[in-house]
């Protein structure tokens, strides 16, 4: 984004993609967001910081992405009575980010929707845990008796409440449907039940402790979060991991992508009444996870990616085994895909269900695999490839129908592409040219006070923003899951469908609860 017409002076932003940062007034903040939108951009993240210890009041951080990379806009509020501009009319996904920012820090937007976002039954809503002077108190009665869902009135309209506790082994989320008969007129989600205080915990972590916490934010994306965190630390340190470490990171990221796509393909098939698909894909996913445990000591690859590289090298016998496994899985995925495509019952459930049109996807800022299924052709591995992806020529999977079928098709394509990439990566790991240490040392101090890591996880782009002191003390860490942008889209995609199709539609997106309820 060219900030010159806005009167802003941009400074370099250490990030995994081209980036810049600038201080912005209220008017400049809104203008920059509009400019990003007009440049085919989208909102990536929004969060707040307590800077009163520096006599600077509170800070608002807004990250937008356009064709030129990332822009971090920094807006200062003198105290908690000041208000910042509502950017929801430009980026609808900002609504929940703004509400969560108030719940955690007590700074508010000039917005109409001021309902609390985070689950607040254990503490009064006027306690703001991300303030530096916050102290833990005894649980108090909530000031909010009932969440104010938006309701639809009219003859024959009734309401169905689902959750927050569900029958399956999934995290809690409340879904409130307004329906006529079986047809959905409106859906509104209520999340926040798994809020864990992750951002507050980061503020007391060392860099090494932060790495372990980053990998545990969202268990199905541990590699993506750990790599984004490591990328931010390495940007602040001005170091590049050794070549072998970079290949091993790509190996882990593609194995994480493959395992999750295999699991989802089986679960979506099961929601369509096709238990055969669940059995076959569960078997394949289990093979991948067991190989992970054998090679790295953890099924989900936790604590493998660390700042400066990876925690351990991979023995040659495991490299050979993973190479053979990738080809074997690809052959079986192709065969099962033929069965899915030829099964009339499965196709009847998939086609047209939960459609997010390309227009809706663009307006709402849909990202990741769900965005690519609705024509949003964005993948960091292709657009801003970090090493070794700049050598891999990743084939982006894109569909335009935006329904369950399209999201399944993207998963099939990406699973097969991950298997292909794993074949290339394992071949590279056997090449003497990649023989090197797997870690590099970090300097004792850093001159960068802000750094961002940005990695394409299996669900979509994962961002980690670090604000640091020069002795590596973490002042603030903001993780951002793609689910922040995608959850609101489900509320639109389900309209006009029957209630019984909601589990299938919801699973086809498979968004994170834990990744958002920080």
């Amino acid at each position: 984004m060219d900030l010159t017409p806005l009167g802003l002076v941009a400074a370099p932003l250490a990030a995994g993609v081209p980036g810049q940062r600038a201080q912005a007034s209220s008017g400049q903040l809104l203008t920059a967001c509009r400019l990003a939108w007009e440049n085919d951009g989208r909102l990536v993240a929004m969060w707040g910081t307590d800077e009163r210890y520096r006599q600077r009041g509170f800070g608002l951080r807004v990250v937008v992405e356009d064709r030129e990379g990332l822009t971090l806009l920094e807006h200062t509020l003198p105290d908690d009575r000041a208000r910042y501009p509502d950017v929801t009319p430009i980026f609808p996904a900002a609504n929940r980010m703004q509400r969560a920012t108030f719940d955690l820090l007590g700074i508010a937007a000039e917005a109409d929707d001021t309902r609390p976002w985070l689950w607040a039954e254990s503490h009064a809503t006027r306690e703001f845990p991300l303030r530096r002077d916050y102290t833990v108190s005894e649980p108090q009665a909530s000031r909010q008796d009932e969440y104010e869902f938006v309701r639809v009135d009219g003859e024959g309209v009734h309401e169905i409440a689902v959750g927050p506790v569900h029958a399956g082994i999934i995290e809690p989320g409340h879904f409130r449907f307004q329906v006529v008969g079986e047809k959905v007129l409106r859906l509104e989600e209520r999340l926040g039940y798994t809020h864990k205080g992750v951002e507050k915990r980061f503020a007391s972590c060392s860099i090494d402790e932060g790495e372990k916490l980053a990998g545990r934010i969202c268990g199905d994306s541990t590699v993506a979060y750990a790599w984004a965190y490591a990328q931010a630390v390495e940007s602040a340190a001005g170091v590049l991991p050794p070549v072998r470490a970079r290949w091993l990171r790509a190996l882990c990221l593609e194995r994480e992508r493959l395992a999750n796509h295999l699991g989802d393909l089986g679960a979506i098939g099961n929601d369509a009444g096709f238990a055969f698909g669940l059995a076959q894909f569960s078997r394949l996913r289990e093979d991948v996870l067991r190989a992970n445990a054998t090679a790295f000591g953890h099924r989900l690859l936790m604590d493998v990616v660390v700042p400066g590289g990876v925690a351990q090298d991979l023995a040659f016998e495991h490299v050979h085994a993973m190479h053979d496994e990738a080809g074997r899985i690809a052959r079986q995925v192709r065969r099962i895909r033929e069965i899915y495509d030829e099964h009339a019952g499965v196709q009847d459930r998939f086609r047209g269900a939960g459609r997010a049109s390309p227009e809706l996807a663009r307006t709402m800022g849909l990202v990741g695999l769900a965005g690519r299924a609705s024509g949003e052709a964005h993948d960091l591995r292709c657009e801003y490839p970090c090493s070794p992806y700049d050598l891999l020529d990743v084939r982006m999977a894109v569909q335009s129908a935006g329904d369950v079928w399209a999201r399944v098709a993207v998963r099939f394509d990406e699973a097969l592409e991950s298997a292909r990439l794993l074949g290339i990566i394992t071949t590279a790991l056997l090449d003497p040219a990649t023989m090197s240490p797997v870690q590099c040392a970090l300097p004792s101090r850093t001159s960068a006070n802000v750094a961002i890591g940005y990695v394409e996880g299996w669900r979509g782009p994962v961002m980690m923003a670090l604000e640091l002191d020069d002795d590596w003390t973490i002042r603030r860490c903001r993780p951002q899951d793609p689910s922040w942008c995608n959850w609101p889209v489900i509320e639109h995609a389900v309209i006009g469908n029957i209630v019984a199709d909601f589990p299938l539609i919801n699973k086809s997106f498979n968004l994170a609860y834990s990744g958002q309820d920080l």
Side-chain angles (χ1 to χ4, degrees):
M1 184 194 305
D2 182 5
L3 297 176
T4 306
L6 309 183
L8 297 177
V9 178
L13 175 66
V17 300
Q20 58 186 342
R21 56 187 292 216
Q23 290 284 337
S25 66
S26 294
Q28 291 168 330
L29 177 64
L30 277 179
T31 303
C33 288
R34 289 194 190 97
L35 183 60
W37 167 258
E38 292 167 0
N39 198 27
D40 294 329
R42 64 178 191 84
L43 176 67
V44 176
M46 175 186 293
W47 69 95
T49 62
D50 184 353
E51 300 183 345
R52 292 174 296 169
Y53 73 104
R54 299 163 64 189
Q55 288 74 51
R56 293 182 58 185
F58 295 91
L60 179 74
R61 308 285 188 258
V62 179
V63 177
V64 294
E65 178 188 353
D66 61 14
R67 291 188 294 262
E68 298 176 15
L70 295 178
T71 299
L72 170 61
L73 300 165
E74 302 176 339
H75 178 61
T76 300
L77 298 115
D79 53 50
D80 59 5
R81 295 184 300 274
R83 297 290 181 265
Y84 60 88
D86 179 14
V87 301
T88 302
I90 305 171
F91 298 118
N95 170 272
R96 296 172 181 183
M97 300 182 201
Q98 292 174 173
R99 290 158 61 192
T101 299
F102 178 80
D103 290 350
L104 293 172
L105 196 63
I107 58 173
E110 298 168 336
D112 295 329
D113 189 354
T114 59
R115 294 174 296 168
W117 175 247
L118 294 172
W119 182 243
E121 288 296 331
S122 61
H123 286 278
T125 56
R126 291 297 174 183
E127 292 186 349
F128 305 116
L130 287 188
R131 292 190 177 185
R132 287 176 170 266
D133 54 4
Y134 170 80
T135 56
V136 178
S137 61
E138 292 297 319
Q140 304 175 38
S142 171
R143 300 184 185 186
Q144 184 89 6
D145 293 331
E146 182 179 358
Y147 185 75
E148 298 175 358
F149 286 98
V150 178
R151 290 179 167 86
V152 177
D153 295 322
E155 184 177 354
V157 177
H158 66 283
E159 185 175 80
I160 300 175
V162 179
V165 179
H166 300 279
I169 306 175
I170 61 174
E171 292 179 281
H174 188 101
F175 302 92
R176 190 68 62 94
F177 296 85
Q178 314 292 319
V179 303
V180 170
E182 278 288 291
K183 182 176 289 188
V184 178
L185 298 179
R186 180 181 174 85
L187 165 66
E188 189 171 4
E189 305 146 354
R190 174 80 163 114
L191 306 180
Y193 297 92
T194 58
H195 179 70
K196 304 169 290 297
V198 168
E199 292 176 281
K200 186 69 172 180
R201 179 69 183 90
F202 265 117
S204 60
C205 283
S206 67
I207 288 296
D208 291 339
E209 291 170 337
E211 172 268 315
K212 292 185 178 297
L213 182 57
R216 287 161 174 79
I217 290 171
C218 188
D220 63 17
S221 301
T222 182
V223 177
Y225 274 98
W227 193 346
Y229 176 85
Q231 195 179 72
V233 172
E234 290 152 9
S235 294
V239 300
L240 182 66
V243 61
R244 189 166 184 81
R246 286 174 263 157
W247 282 104
L248 287 168
R249 285 181 176 183
L251 176 83
C252 291
L253 189 66
E254 293 309 314
R255 292 187 67 82
E256 180 172 85
R257 189 185 317 278
L258 179 60
N260 280 291
H261 284 338
L262 293 174
D264 278 358
L265 286 168
I268 296 170
N270 191 58
D271 280 346
F274 192 51
F276 171 83
L278 176 64
Q280 296 303 317
F281 280 115
S282 295
R283 172 180 60 82
L284 293 176
R285 179 176 183 269
E286 182 64 20
D287 288 345
V288 174
L289 297 183
R290 289 185 181 185
N292 289 346
T294 300
F296 291 102
H298 199 287
R299 288 165 59 88
L300 301 181
L301 301 173
M302 285 187 179
D303 302 324
V304 175
V305 177
V306 298
V310 294
Q312 64 188 77
D313 203 346
L314 188 62
F316 278 1
E317 60 265 30
H318 297 313
V319 177
H320 283 292
M322 289 180 177
H323 181 87
D324 295 341
E325 177 193 58
R328 182 173 64 253
I329 287 178
R331 289 190 295 272
Q332 295 186 56
V333 168
R334 290 190 188 97
R335 180 68 186 102
I336 303 172
R337 183 177 197 172
E338 292 174 358
I339 297 172
Y340 270 53
D341 289 345
E342 294 170 1
H343 194 287
V346 168
Q347 291 300 308
D348 181 64
R349 294 292 304 279
F350 286 179
R351 298 276 181 174
R355 185 168 187 265
S357 68
E359 295 77 17
L360 176 65
R362 172 73 183 97
T363 300
M364 298 294 292
L366 190 63
V367 297
L369 76 89
R372 290 189 288 276
S374 295
E376 289 292 294
H378 300 295
D379 187 325
L380 296 177
R381 298 174 299 164
C382 304
E383 296 174 293
Y384 305 111
C386 62
S387 179
Y389 283 101
D390 53 345
L391 304 174
L392 291 177
D393 191 23
V394 177
R395 302 166 185 168
M396 191 187 310
V398 182
Q399 297 286 336
S400 60
D403 55 5
V404 172
W405 173 86
R407 291 186 283 276
V408 168
V410 168
R411 279 180 170 82
F412 271 117
D413 289 340
E414 292 195 356
L416 291 170
E417 179 65 359
S418 287
R420 185 186 74 87
L421 294 176
L422 286 168
I424 299 172
I425 293 167
T426 49
T427 299
L429 287 170
L430 296 171
D431 188 336
T434 65
M435 299 302 149
S436 71
V438 294
Q439 283 193 50
C440 66
L442 301 178
S444 59
R445 305 186 74 81
T446 176
S447 59
N449 61 356
V450 176
I452 288 179
Y454 204 36
V455 171
E456 187 72 32
W458 72 271
R459 187 178 278 117
V462 170
M463 188 206 76
M464 294 288 284
L466 281 174
E467 299 187 30
L468 302 159
D469 290 325
D470 59 6
D471 62 355
W472 287 111
T473 300
I474 299 176
R475 292 201 307 262
R476 184 79 164 86
C477 179
R478 171 63 185 185
Q480 188 77 13
D481 194 272
S483 300
W484 276 102
C485 296
N486 289 1
W487 271 116
V489 181
I490 294 182
E491 296 182 348
H492 295 265
V494 74
I495 292 174
N497 291 260
I498 62 174
V499 175
D501 274 346
F502 174 70
L504 175 65
I505 295 167
N506 191 28
K507 188 61 182 179
S508 73
F509 283 89
N510 194 9
L511 304 180
Y513 298 80
S514 190
Q516 177 164 320
D517 297 340
L518 301 173

